Amino acid sequence: MRRPFSQPPLLLGLVALLLALATACTTAPPGDGGGDGTDRARGARWQPKPGTDWQWQLSGRLDKDVAAPVYDIEGFDHSAATVAELHRRDRKVICYLSVGAWEDWRPDAGDFPRSVIGRSNGWEGERWLDIRRLDVLEPLLAKRFDMCRDKGFDAIEPDNVDGYANRSGFPLTAAHQLRFNRMVARLAHERGMAVGLKNDLDQIPELVDDFDFAVNEQCAEYDECERLTPFIRAGKAVFHVEYELPPERFCATSRKLRLSSLRKDMDLTAWRQTC
């Protein structure tokens, strides 16, 4: 829900110079991106730092030429080849997945029993899930996280993790949400991937230690950005987007708080404005 063999010394010197130039031409812009996924293979989970620039694109033809070290893209829609190409361009890649809402167009939609599908979350084809049913949802989400891992993604952006604060159709509580969100974080970490907390501002104090970064929509519009500072104090990036406010209305605050802020359209196409 919105609110990837011995060489003569002269020749060796020439080779070194050419390699250095090639590296300079392909290195990601300043930030905390880069890498080809080998860190995860070695067991080192990626940890984006405050202020890291990013690109968030969930619709339209993927623009791979955006000068940002981090891409957040659709997990189902993009292939391992796309992730590998972004890695070759020295980008880290986040796998977007909805975990707290059912989407009727996903290839595994039929695997979710009707008993765990609740009210609409306001987006066409999407309905809240009964997050109390970890026995049902954990194996289904594990398969999705396996998909992201197998495609080479560095991290997960799990969406719809605040159902308890919405009219979900189920009597969800804050305790249910904490248990579910921690399960989501564990599934990502068990697969060597970082994971972000999406919105869910009220539970940041309880969950900041479980998640590696935050993703937020419209904290400036609703005067809530200060509530994300526990992530910044912990040395963890806050990837933030505004849809309605122009950059001059939020960038000063974003720079002060060290948020990674963008203005995007609601369809999350390639278009972006940065601070």
Side-chain angles (χ1 to χ4, degrees):
M1 180 171 57
R2 304 156 198 157
R3 214 176 68 150
F5 56 102
S6 178
Q7 296 282 8
L10 180 60
L11 184 55
L12 283 175
L14 180 58
V15 170
L17 177 60
L18 291 172
L19 287 173
L21 288 171
T23 300
C25 291
T26 57
T27 299
D32 195 44
D36 59 2
T38 54
D39 285 348
R40 180 161 59 83
R42 291 195 297 264
R45 191 167 69 238
W46 175 50
Q47 176 61 75
K49 303 302 181 186
T52 301
D53 192 18
W54 71 309
Q55 164 66 332
W56 195 19
Q57 183 178 348
L58 300 185
S59 67
R61 184 179 179 86
L62 183 64
D63 182 353
K64 302 171 187 173
D65 296 321
V66 175
V70 176
Y71 268 64
D72 188 340
I73 62 177
E74 267 279 354
F76 278 104
D77 295 349
H78 295 290
S79 66
T82 295
V83 177
E85 182 177 352
L86 289 170
H87 281 155
R88 287 193 296 271
R89 295 174 181 233
D90 215 23
R91 274 54 171 165
K92 292 292 188 183
V93 194
I94 301 172
C95 181
Y96 170 89
L97 292 174
S98 179
V99 299
W102 177 78
E103 299 163 308
D104 65 8
W105 68 92
R106 297 302 187 187
D108 61 353
D111 296 337
F112 290 77
R114 294 184 63 85
S115 61
V116 301
I117 300 172
R119 295 172 60 98
S120 170
N121 68 358
W123 292 87
E124 184 178 357
E126 299 187 26
R127 293 181 175 274
W128 292 107
L129 289 168
D130 186 354
I131 60 169
R132 299 171 300 172
R133 297 295 308 278
L134 300 189
D135 58 322
V136 173
L137 297 180
E138 181 170 352
L140 294 172
L141 295 180
K143 290 180 181 179
R144 290 184 170 189
F145 283 35
D146 287 346
M147 173 191 71
C148 295
R149 176 200 59 200
D150 295 345
K151 289 182 178 182
F153 282 96
D154 302 288
I156 303 280
E157 182 211 329
D159 202 0
N160 296 299
V161 293
D162 54 0
Y164 83 103
N166 291 273
R167 297 180 62 194
S168 67
F170 304 107
L172 305 180
T173 67
H176 293 137
Q177 194 71 62
L178 286 172
R179 186 175 66 147
F180 177 80
N181 290 358
R182 287 182 172 131
M183 181 267 290
V184 167
R186 174 176 56 79
L187 288 177
H189 291 160
E190 287 175 348
R191 288 155 178 79
M193 294 180 289
V195 62
L197 180 64
K198 177 75 170 286
N199 298 323
D200 196 20
L201 294 174
D202 289 342
Q203 296 189 324
I204 285 176
E206 289 88 356
L207 293 173
V208 63
D209 291 338
D210 297 281
F211 287 81
D212 305 292
F213 57 93
V215 178
N216 175 266
E217 297 167 294
Q218 298 168 279
C219 71
E221 182 174 347
Y222 296 105
D223 195 23
E224 298 172 328
C225 293
E226 291 278 355
R227 301 178 67 186
L228 291 149
T229 55
F231 275 96
I232 300 298
R233 289 197 299 267
K236 300 176 179 183
V238 173
F239 297 121
H240 158 238
V241 68
E242 293 292 330
Y243 301 119
E244 302 294 338
L245 299 182
E248 57 268 24
R249 292 275 303 277
F250 62 86
C251 282
T253 297
S254 292
R255 285 190 286 267
K256 177 183 176 182
L257 297 179
R258 301 173 64 204
L259 308 183
S260 304
S261 298
L262 299 174
R263 185 183 180 190
K264 298 285 292 184
D265 56 57
M266 285 290 291
D267 291 330
L268 294 174
T269 62
W271 180 84
R272 71 201 282 264
Q273 288 181 304
T274 62
C275 288

